[in-house]
Amino acid sequence: MSLNFVFLGAGNLATQLSLACKNAGFNILQVFSRTEASAKSLAQKLNTIYTTSVRDINPDADIYIVAIKDSAFDDVLPHVNFEGKLLVHCSGSMPLSVLKKYSENYGVFYPLQTFSVDRNVLFWEIPVFIEANSKKNEATLLKIARKISGSVSVLNSHKRMYLHISAVFACNFVNYFYTVASGILKENDIPFNALKPLIMETAQKVQEMAPENAQTGPAVRFDENIISRHLEALENFPEYQAFYESISKSIFENHKK
Amino acid sequence: MSLNFVFLGAGNLATQLSLACKNAGFNILQVFSRTEASAKSLAQKLNTIYTTSVRDINPDADIYIVAIKDSAFDDVLPHVNFEGKLLVHCSGSMPLSVLKKYSENYGVFYPLQTFSVDRNVLFWEIPVFIEANSKKNEATLLKIARKISGSVSVLNSHKRMYLHISAVFACNFVNYFYTVASGILKENDIPFNALKPLIMETAQKVQEMAPENAQTGPAVRFDENIISRHLEALENFPEYQAFYESISKSIFENHKK
């Protein structure tokens, strides 16, 4: 399989996925991004060429991976002739059908991970979820995915969106709470390092036990004394105070069940 | 230093801390808990004896570690004569001064970690925060702490409470969001396993970068299209919908700064 890829987009996801594709032996013909710095930087990492102009997107690839904001699809995709090509997006929450108007062959390749441009990841350990408009295209995507990930499944658009929502809670909101914690520590001149072993153990626990069994802290104990001390202490952080109150209540209500 | 300990309490924290003390070579004379099953189980692990009666608490230890809910302090502590003994609590959010009425020598030993009875932890990697009512008692606690942890600091009650609040966000609320994610997946017949690599990577990222730089997802991109799809999809989970909306807004507002 010497498939040729073009990557449309050069952000966090495009960077890590294109590197994984290259490492698996696929050819990356070109990178497109409106942002020249990103396009150039990714093309260098891939040892390939780039363009910032939709009219110069290479029409000769087999697979076009779209890793741009869906609101930009209409600015880019109508300019390329995808006849006989496979057009693939990587979004958790865009249905497969959004690609229908651009190509006869289309699919979704959704790697469930948090990507940053400058942080390389072991792609092999990332679960990848596939969907396509035909069995033939599904088979192509499965073959590609199995070259770069050890965990590949087929999942429809509806379920993929709920998977994405669960990831927003388990990753994006979790990271935001790390940020909230970091802010509270900064105000008290305590280094963030103090929390690092706790953060790791919290994540490690649920690798082995169900999260509902791993719950600790004042809310699950319904330790009203501690909870009211904390709420009082957060008076200068009204936003965090509101989160503290509503989430503690939710933990308690859920635990009663 | 052949110090003798009595543990008052046999829950998650008491279990892990007493095991660490035993492993460091200290003598655990006795475990007290009102709940016989817990007292017995911990005493067996420590190869020591237990009691469920406050009147039978051994008066001959050097150090009494109180690891019970603070609302139970008054039911237990007045029954023991702590003259010449060091009385220590382990709570992040109870000030040092709560022990004043029970003993002339008192302190705090706060290990920052999430503990479960059945999950052993490497205590050496857990940051421990110490406070005491005199330099002499502080020195005693520092000596003990440095035998069981590689990271020991002195921290006053005010700062310790904020440290505890930050831990509630970075651990207890984080774990609750794992539970929320797990619930959303269950509704859609997707195994929780799908999220495990993401959860680990999210925690690992902030071991090396500041959490504000690790933020990804629709809220920080202000991807209104995705956010409104998710809010719509959460219509059957009004509580999660409210969390989704308020936290996304907070992420966006904070990122603008």
Side-chain angles (χ1 to χ4, degrees):
Chain A
M1 244 198 331
S2 69
L3 290 171
N4 295 311
F5 284 66
V6 164
F7 274 82
L8 307 175
N12 294 333
L13 169 65
T15 298
Q16 298 303 329
L17 178 56
S18 61
L19 285 168
C21 287
K22 184 181 155 72
N23 289 339
F26 297 115
N27 306 317
I28 318 293
L29 292 187
Q30 189 190 42
V31 171
F32 160 82
S33 167
R34 298 262 194 204
T35 315
E36 180 154 16
S38 311
K40 192 175 175 180
S41 163
L42 180 53
Q44 277 173 347
K45 284 176 191 161
L46 296 165
N47 197 19
T48 189
I49 56 170
Y50 72 90
T51 180
T52 59
S53 156
V54 287
R55 284 159 305 156
D56 295 333
I57 293 172
N58 187 324
D60 299 324
D62 304 297
I63 318 266
Y64 291 79
I65 304 278
V66 192
I68 55 179
K69 230 177 160 174
D70 62 270
S71 54
F73 281 16
D74 261 344
D75 302 333
V76 176
L77 302 184
H79 299 276
V80 187
N81 177 3
F82 292 114
E83 214 180 310
K85 319 294 185 182
L86 180 51
L87 179 63
V88 178
H89 80 61
C90 303
S91 162
S93 295
M94 298 302 299
L96 171 67
S97 58
V98 295
L99 295 178
K100 191 176 181 173
K101 62 178 171 174
Y102 308 111
S103 174
E104 283 185 4
N105 297 290
Y106 50 96
V108 178
F109 186 107
Y110 178 54
L112 185 64
Q113 190 47 285
T114 166
F115 295 106
S116 294
V117 165
D118 289 327
R119 184 176 162 85
N120 290 347
V121 285
L122 283 175
F123 220 98
W124 191 254
E125 299 184 354
I126 299 173
V128 172
F129 298 89
I130 292 297
E131 189 182 15
N133 74 316
S134 71
K135 279 288 163 193
K136 183 171 165 279
N137 291 328
E138 184 183 292
T140 304
L141 285 178
L142 284 172
K143 259 194 224 170
I144 295 169
R146 286 178 182 142
K147 289 240 176 187
I148 63 178
S149 164
S151 163
V152 180
S153 324
V154 174
L155 197 72
N156 69 34
S157 293
H158 179 82
K159 290 191 175 189
R160 188 174 63 251
M161 184 175 61
Y162 281 100
L163 177 60
H164 188 198
I165 294 174
S166 78
V168 168
F169 277 92
C171 165
N172 305 148
F173 292 174
V174 158
N175 185 75
Y176 186 58
F177 280 1
Y178 298 157
T179 309
V180 168
S182 164
I184 293 169
L185 291 180
K186 256 181 213 146
E187 286 277 324
N188 290 280
D189 296 316
I190 304 170
F192 183 66
N193 274 345
L195 283 182
K196 288 181 180 176
L198 177 65
I199 286 171
M200 282 312 295
E201 171 67 4
T202 305
Q204 260 152 1
K205 262 178 138 174
V206 298
Q207 306 296 306
E208 290 159 37
M209 60 207 277
E212 55 272 31
N213 299 330
Q215 190 67 49
T216 57
V220 74
R221 290 196 308 268
F222 201 51
D223 195 332
E224 283 182 290
N225 185 4
I226 300 291
I227 292 172
S228 64
R229 275 172 189 270
H230 286 181
L231 288 173
E232 204 186 309
L234 287 173
E235 258 171 16
N236 293 328
F237 303 89
E239 195 179 14
Y240 301 164
Q241 193 186 44
F243 289 146
Y244 191 106
E245 191 159 24
S246 58
I247 296 169
S248 291
K249 203 177 150 215
S250 184
I251 290 173
F252 178 66
E253 293 296 329
N254 251 284
H255 196 71
K256 273 198 310 193
K257 283 173 199 166
Chain B
M1 245 197 329
S2 68
L3 291 172
N4 295 312
F5 285 65
V6 164
F7 275 82
L8 307 175
N12 295 333
L13 169 65
T15 298
Q16 298 303 329
L17 178 56
S18 61
L19 285 167
C21 286
K22 184 180 155 72
N23 289 338
F26 297 115
N27 307 317
I28 318 293
L29 292 187
Q30 189 189 43
V31 171
F32 160 83
S33 168
R34 298 261 195 207
T35 315
E36 180 152 17
S38 310
K40 191 175 176 181
S41 165
L42 180 53
Q44 276 174 345
K45 286 177 189 162
L46 296 166
N47 196 19
T48 188
I49 56 170
Y50 71 91
T51 180
T52 58
S53 155
V54 288
R55 285 160 304 156
D56 295 332
I57 293 173
N58 187 323
D60 299 324
D62 304 296
I63 319 266
Y64 291 79
I65 303 278
V66 192
I68 54 179
K69 231 176 160 177
D70 62 271
S71 55
F73 280 16
D74 262 344
D75 301 333
V76 176
L77 302 184
H79 299 275
V80 188
N81 176 4
F82 292 115
E83 215 180 309
K85 318 293 185 183
L86 181 52
L87 180 64
V88 178
H89 80 60
C90 303
S91 161
S93 294
M94 298 303 297
L96 171 67
S97 58
V98 295
L99 295 178
K100 191 175 182 173
K101 60 178 173 176
Y102 307 111
S103 175
E104 282 184 5
N105 297 290
Y106 50 97
V108 178
F109 186 107
Y110 178 54
L112 185 63
Q113 190 49 282
T114 166
F115 296 105
S116 295
V117 165
D118 289 326
R119 184 176 161 86
N120 290 348
V121 285
L122 284 174
F123 220 99
W124 190 254
E125 298 184 355
I126 299 174
V128 172
F129 299 88
I130 292 297
E131 189 182 13
N133 75 316
S134 71
K135 279 288 163 194
K136 182 170 167 280
N137 292 329
E138 183 183 294
T140 304
L141 284 179
L142 283 172
K143 258 194 227 170
I144 295 168
R146 286 179 183 141
K147 289 238 177 188
I148 64 177
S149 164
S151 163
V152 180
S153 325
V154 174
L155 197 72
N156 68 37
S157 292
H158 179 82
K159 290 191 175 190
R160 189 175 61 251
M161 184 176 60
Y162 281 99
L163 177 59
H164 188 196
I165 294 173
S166 79
V168 169
F169 277 92
C171 166
N172 306 150
F173 291 174
V174 158
N175 185 75
Y176 186 57
F177 280 2
Y178 299 157
T179 308
V180 168
S182 164
I184 293 169
L185 291 180
K186 253 179 218 148
E187 286 277 325
N188 290 280
D189 296 316
I190 304 170
F192 183 67
N193 274 346
L195 282 182
K196 288 181 179 176
L198 177 66
I199 286 172
M200 282 312 295
E201 170 69 3
T202 305
Q204 260 151 2
K205 261 178 140 176
V206 299
Q207 307 296 306
E208 288 158 39
M209 61 206 278
E212 53 271 32
N213 299 330
Q215 190 67 49
T216 57
V220 73
R221 290 197 308 269
F222 200 51
D223 196 332
E224 282 182 288
N225 185 3
I226 300 292
I227 293 170
S228 64
R229 274 173 190 271
H230 286 181
L231 288 173
E232 205 187 306
L234 288 173
E235 257 170 19
N236 292 329
F237 304 89
E239 194 179 16
Y240 301 164
Q241 193 186 43
F243 289 147
Y244 190 105
E245 190 159 26
S246 59
I247 296 170
S248 291
K249 202 176 151 215
S250 185
I251 291 174
F252 178 67
E253 294 295 329
N254 253 283
H255 195 70
K256 274 198 309 193
K257 285 174 196 164

